[in-house]
Amino acid sequence: GNPLYSDDVGRMCFNPAKNWQLQWYGGVGTKSQHKLSLEPLDSNLFSWSGTLIGIADYPSDHPIVVKINSNTGTALFVGYNRATGVN
């Protein structure tokens, strides 16, 4: 978690890349319904439509983090930070 959390000091949180790497939300990487991996370069007309939830809405049947892969060896991690609950 957050070793700095209090009313008088700074706050920090885990970003979507860390949420992907950790064993939270049901497993590491794509071993969970809460982590969605997309390969946009595998399709000429790529699109995804769905519901992405914030960690405050977990558990749910929707992903918390989306990993968008590229052909460069890097990836983009997308998450939703809803200003409620543990956020």
Side-chain angles (χ1 to χ4, degrees):
N2 183 356
L4 301 177
Y5 186 80
S6 80
D7 292 335
D8 300 323
V9 295
R11 297 180 182 177
M12 66 182 214
C13 63
F14 285 98
N15 59 40
K18 291 292 184 189
N19 287 338
W20 184 272
Q21 294 168 356
L22 297 172
Q23 293 185 13
W24 298 350
Y25 314 117
V28 175
T30 57
K31 296 179 184 175
S32 168
Q33 68 184 17
H34 307 296
K35 298 175 180 180
L36 177 64
S37 180
L38 301 176
E39 301 285 344
L41 299 177
D42 287 348
S43 172
N44 291 331
L45 299 171
F46 172 77
S47 68
W48 176 74
S49 177
T51 301
L52 182 65
I53 64 166
I55 61 170
D57 295 317
Y58 177 79
S60 172
D61 292 335
H62 302 289
I64 294 172
V65 61
V66 176
K67 178 182 179 185
I68 304 172
N69 295 298
S70 72
N71 62 353
T72 64
T74 61
L76 175 67
F77 295 89
V78 179
Y80 178 64
N81 188 11
R82 186 170 159 220
T84 187
V86 297
N87 274 343

